[in-house]
Amino acid sequence: MHAAALLELQQTLQSEMPISTAMAIRPVSWDGCQLAMEMPLAPNRNHQYSAFAGSINALLTIVGWGTVFLLLHHEGRAGNVVIRRSQIRYLRPVRDEMIIARGLPLDPSGLEFFYEFLRSKGHSKIDIAAEIADADGPLASFQGSYVVQNK
């Protein structure tokens, strides 16, 4: 089931967000609440041979967007997912050849509110946190607030 959802997410990104194809972003895992996505450093590097800040921001933003997409998929729903606001912190250079961004655990009460509002109103909102980390801790951390509107 998760493999099919990840494939649908990948196809949606390719058709609706062409930048994700140019950046070679792809989903790699989904456990029902946490999404991981990857992108290679080579097409996303800067002059310092570390990941370009804009690419990091895009990857983390797409992890949040993809999380909401998959939460909707779980409910058998579609919606227009948009980011309302975000904050990112660049803590250390990202130099891994394959950069992996992971969604952080969702707040259970926030997830319950998301589904309850979605079921009763047909639209909803949720906050998503994600990061790129290594063995020494976070390299970049992201907080985003996403809204689902009726299609």
Side-chain angles (χ1 to χ4, degrees), residues 8 33 40 76 96 117 124 140:
E8 185 177 339
C33 286
D96 292 334
F117 216 74
S124 195

Coordinates of all heavy atoms in Angstrom, one line a residue, residues 8 33 40 76 96 117 124 140:
E8 N 2.4 7.2 -6.5 CA 1.4 8.3 -6.9 C 2.0 9.7 -6.5 O 1.9 10.6 -7.3 CB 0.1 8.1 -6.2 CG -0.9 9.1 -6.6 CD -2.3 8.8 -6.0 OE1 -2.6 7.7 -5.6 OE2 -3.1 9.8 -6.0
C33 N 3.0 8.2 8.7 CA 3.0 9.5 9.3 C 4.3 10.3 9.0 O 4.3 11.5 9.1 CB 3.0 9.3 10.8 SG 1.3 8.9 11.4
P40 N 20.0 14.1 -5.0 CA 21.5 14.1 -5.1 C 22.1 15.5 -5.0 O 21.5 16.5 -5.4 CB 21.7 13.5 -6.5 CG 20.5 13.9 -7.3 CD 19.4 13.9 -6.3
G76 N -8.4 8.7 1.2 CA -9.1 8.6 -0.1 C -9.6 9.9 -0.6 O -10.6 10.0 -1.3
D96 N 26.5 15.6 1.8 CA 26.3 14.2 1.4 C 26.0 14.1 -0.1 O 25.3 14.9 -0.6 CB 25.2 13.5 2.2 CG 25.5 13.4 3.7 OD1 26.7 13.3 4.0 OD2 24.5 13.4 4.5
F117 N -11.2 18.0 11.2 CA -11.6 19.2 10.4 C -11.8 18.8 8.9 O -12.8 19.3 8.3 CB -10.5 20.3 10.5 CG -11.1 21.7 10.6 CD1 -11.8 22.1 11.7 CD2 -11.0 22.5 9.5 CE1 -12.3 23.4 11.7 CE2 -11.5 23.8 9.5 CZ -12.2 24.2 10.6
S124 N -8.7 21.7 5.7 CA -8.0 21.6 7.0 C -6.7 22.2 6.9 O -6.3 22.8 5.9 CB -7.9 20.1 7.4 OG -7.6 20.0 8.7
A140 N 19.9 21.0 8.7 CA 18.9 22.0 8.4 C 17.5 21.6 9.0 O 17.2 20.4 9.0 CB 18.7 22.2 6.9

